[in-house]
Amino acid sequence: MDHRADPDAVLAGWRREGPAIIAQRRAEYDRLLERARLLLARRRHAQATAALQAAANYAVLWHTGQFTDPRIEAMLRQLGRQALHDDRPCRPPRDEGTPRRILHVATELYGIGGHARMVAHWICNDPDNVHSLALTGQHCPLPQDVADAVQDARGSVTCLNARPGGLLRWARGMQALMARADIVVLHVHNMDVVPMIALAGLVNRPPSMMVNHGDHQFWLGAGIVDMIVNTRRSGRQLGLDRRGVMPERSALIPLCLGDRPRQMSRQAARQALGIPSEAVVVLTIARAVKFRDIGGDNFVQALLPVLHDNPQMHMVVVGPGQMPAWADSIAQVPGQVHLIGETTQTQPYLDAADIYLDAFPFVSITSLLEAGMQGLPLVTRAAYGPDCGVMAADSPGLDGVMATTHSVAELRRTIAALVRDDAARRSLGARTLARVVENNTGAGWRRQLADLYRSTEGLPRNPGDLAPMQGMGDLDLFIPFVFDDPVGIGGSDTIRVSRATQLVLKAAPPGWRIRHLIRIAARRDLAGSPLRALIPAWLGTTLRRSLRREP
């Protein structure tokens, strides 16, 4: 974007356009939820499960002005009780001092991003217990660090979506795994209905907790899971204000990190990456989607004056790859901006860096903390105002050391000062490293985890009660422009509903799948081949695993 749209004008535009967007999306979501209610009333449980999954998909992908919905929580509980009522006895009480059997549940874990790394770090940093992993939608190869962590923890990995059947049958299989656990820890995608239905139907279920890793989005589980585990104060507060989470069911624990030893010296890393040895390197690492264009100055354009005034400054941005919208800005400072695509091999860039700048408009907490572990000073931008804490960066491990800026002008001043002052960079980086190590690693983190286990075990099972929730604010009006899936901006007026439904087709009952596939194709909203959409999810997963020679 060009300079014609200043940040205040962008936010004002969102406030004008946001209410109509939210109202339209709420109406579309409500229609999806009503379809699920009717199916549930007729006790067509497998179809109701698919319909609830479609509604949850919609609410996560396109913000509807709510961060949870008591109606869908109640339907999930009803579905679990009716279709998966299971009163088998769970594991007998654990003897004090014996290892806990922890079942981690995830939808899908990827090699890129911090989600899978958190699961691996949690398991590796809790060696006194036995950890297993269940997956409800794994399609790509399981990241090796996760597989190794589970093996070392004497546990097992179960890929439920490789079993014949669909969502409801997978939830039944999940119950058998949960019944053998002392604690269940959910790391699932925000819309995943499978573990929620499984827990709801399990009468004698073990204590359960859910990691709030998508705290800026709608999610399921506030009325089902016993403890919500937050890694940010802003996420915890939003849960209390807008999700109806009871304070006693809301914990705060720092994100767990593993060691990231330096692979080479700063000078050797720069030589390997083709960066001048005398440069001051400002590094950013994030998935490509976190750099999306929202109006105003783009990521590079915001720092053009600093790059002009400081020719020794080099920006290294890992994740976006080639960004045509940034080309004009980059051309004004030839050789000073380096763009790299998404990669799991980020250590050489960390080794070369002097300063770490958070992604914008979508912050990246894991990358911030991992940069802090390298002794880099950290800078982030909180541009959306006091009502939008979850749109900015915060973490218990970064209290008092991260430089938070609230405008482009303040961002420029902060970066320029660090670029020019080597002693200030080193001092702030050392304090950051000490703070992150103390909070996010080792014995300090394990003590907090032990407290979390005990707190969760001491709670009665969640009866489904939700506290009163506050109404909408700026956060709701801004989310569609920053976080939401861009699908639906063009095309038919049914595209969002069609895409939310298409995402569940492969795991839905055959009749429901074919009926909705025909409807979506008739609207010309289908993404991909209709023949591929007819292949059941379990069969596609099994074939991929076979081709990859996975056990």
Side-chain angles (χ1 to χ4, degrees):
M1 301 292 286
D2 59 31
H3 287 285
R4 290 174 295 177
D6 66 79
D8 290 339
V10 170
L11 298 184
W14 293 353
R15 290 188 181 101
R16 287 192 304 271
E17 299 171 38
I21 292 172
I22 295 295
Q24 174 67 24
R25 294 177 175 187
R26 178 68 71 87
E28 293 170 353
Y29 165 78
D30 284 347
R31 286 194 290 272
L32 284 170
L33 198 62
E34 177 62 12
R35 293 177 188 174
R37 187 193 68 79
L38 292 173
L39 290 166
L40 188 55
R42 293 156 61 189
R43 302 181 76 88
R44 299 174 69 172
H45 294 133
Q47 294 187 39
T49 304
L52 283 170
Q53 184 65 78
N57 290 343
Y58 188 105
V60 172
L61 292 171
W62 298 288
H63 187 60
T64 64
Q66 53 193 351
F67 291 92
T68 195
D69 182 355
R71 298 172 298 170
I72 199 170
E73 296 282 323
M75 288 185 207
L76 290 167
R77 293 179 71 89
Q78 181 183 350
L79 181 58
R81 289 194 300 266
Q82 288 182 358
L84 296 178
H85 181 84
D86 189 326
D87 60 0
R88 81 181 81 185
C90 286
R91 280 175 57 82
R94 181 182 60 88
D95 292 334
E96 188 67 30
T98 61
R100 293 180 175 90
R101 299 191 70 85
I102 312 293
L103 176 66
H104 297 265
V105 181
T107 307
E108 185 169 22
L109 299 176
Y110 315 99
I112 299 290
H115 185 198
R117 294 205 295 280
M118 181 184 183
V119 176
H121 294 330
W122 182 315
I123 295 172
C124 291
N125 279 273
D126 186 28
D128 294 335
N129 294 311
V130 177
H131 296 263
S132 292
L133 173 65
L135 300 147
T136 68
Q138 189 73 25
H139 298 102
C140 62
L142 186 66
Q144 193 60 49
D145 59 343
V146 177
D148 291 343
V150 174
Q151 183 177 22
D152 292 345
R154 309 178 300 285
S156 61
V157 176
T158 304
C159 185
L160 288 162
N161 62 304
R163 297 179 175 180
L167 299 172
L168 204 55
R169 186 174 293 185
W170 299 339
R172 173 71 75 186
M174 178 71 74
Q175 287 182 321
L177 299 173
M178 289 176 168
R180 298 197 291 267
D182 294 306
I183 294 181
V184 174
V185 184
L186 305 185
H187 307 264
V188 293
H189 290 2
N190 296 18
M191 70 284 278
D192 193 342
V193 302
V194 170
M196 305 306 167
I197 297 170
L199 280 170
L202 199 58
V203 175
N204 301 308
R205 67 179 189 260
S208 60
M209 58 179 75
M210 182 171 70
V211 179
N212 182 13
H213 61 84
D215 53 16
H216 61 288
Q217 293 177 312
F218 178 99
W219 45 250
L220 305 172
I224 297 173
V225 177
D226 300 320
M227 179 70 82
I228 305 301
V229 182
N230 306 279
T231 61
R232 302 202 297 158
R233 291 189 179 88
S234 60
R236 182 177 188 273
Q237 191 61 50
L238 187 66
L240 300 177
D241 294 342
R242 298 293 304 281
R243 292 191 170 101
V245 178
M246 302 292 188
E248 66 272 17
R249 296 188 181 277
S250 182
L252 180 69
I253 186 171
L255 196 68
C256 184
L257 301 176
D259 291 335
R260 291 289 298 263
R262 179 179 285 275
Q263 292 180 351
M264 60 186 89
S265 70
R266 183 174 280 117
Q267 295 305 318
R270 291 179 180 186
Q271 183 177 4
L273 298 174
I275 298 172
S277 60
E278 69 278 7
V280 178
V281 176
V282 179
L283 173 66
T284 303
I285 302 173
R287 290 181 292 117
V289 68
K290 297 194 173 187
F291 300 96
R292 68 191 295 179
D293 190 350
I294 61 170
D297 292 341
N298 64 49
F299 189 73
V300 174
Q301 194 173 25
L303 289 173
L304 269 181
V306 187
L307 287 160
H308 277 299
D309 293 344
N310 299 274
Q312 79 277 26
M313 173 181 163
H314 282 239
M315 289 182 69
V316 177
V317 190
V318 179
Q322 297 305 309
M323 295 287 284
W326 299 1
D328 289 345
S329 299
I330 293 172
Q332 296 180 47
V333 284
Q336 288 181 255
V337 179
H338 313 263
L339 302 185
I340 294 94
E342 291 183 350
T343 176
T344 59
Q345 304 303 312
T346 57
Q347 190 59 47
Y349 304 100
L350 288 163
D351 289 345
D354 297 286
I355 301 164
Y356 189 85
L357 173 61
D358 197 7
F360 186 84
F362 196 154
V363 299
S364 188
I365 303 298
T366 302
S367 294
L368 271 168
L369 287 163
E370 289 178 345
M373 282 280 288
Q374 303 296 308
L376 298 177
L378 311 177
V379 182
T380 189
R381 181 179 171 192
Y384 306 105
D387 185 47
C388 303
V390 292
M391 297 178 75
D394 69 283
S395 171
L398 300 179
D399 290 342
V401 293
M402 181 173 62
T404 301
T405 64
H406 298 86
S407 66
V408 174
E410 186 180 7
L411 174 68
R412 290 169 178 166
R413 290 194 299 271
T414 302
I415 292 293
L418 287 170
V419 166
R420 295 166 184 163
D421 192 334
D422 178 68
R425 291 197 304 270
R426 294 179 182 275
S427 174
L428 180 56
R431 287 188 284 119
T432 302
L433 172 59
R435 183 65 57 84
V436 173
V437 168
E438 177 185 3
N439 283 273
N440 299 80
T441 68
W445 187 83
R446 286 194 292 273
R447 282 193 296 270
Q448 296 176 79
L449 180 64
D451 290 343
L452 176 62
Y453 287 154
R454 287 191 291 268
S455 297
T456 305
E457 290 167 335
L459 287 171
R461 302 293 75 83
N462 191 337
D465 299 332
L466 295 177
M469 302 177 217
Q470 296 180 9
M472 291 200 309
D474 272 354
L475 178 61
D476 300 275
L477 305 181
F478 294 172
I479 281 177
F481 300 95
V482 179
F483 295 139
D484 281 3
D485 192 295
V487 167
I489 295 174
S492 75
D493 58 1
T494 61
I495 186 68
R496 288 182 295 273
V497 170
S498 295
R499 291 296 171 87
T501 304
Q502 185 176 342
L503 288 172
V504 72
L505 287 181
K506 289 172 171 285
W512 194 94
R513 182 191 317 152
I514 293 169
R515 184 168 65 254
H516 284 276
L517 176 59
I518 292 171
R519 185 178 301 166
I520 293 168
R523 293 170 175 165
R524 299 187 177 182
D525 289 340
L526 187 66
S529 163
L531 292 177
R532 289 178 66 87
L534 286 171
I535 300 173
W538 70 268
L539 181 56
T541 301
T542 301
L543 291 173
R544 281 190 294 269
R545 287 166 61 90
S546 177
L547 290 171
R548 295 195 297 258
R549 300 181 183 274
E550 293 183 34

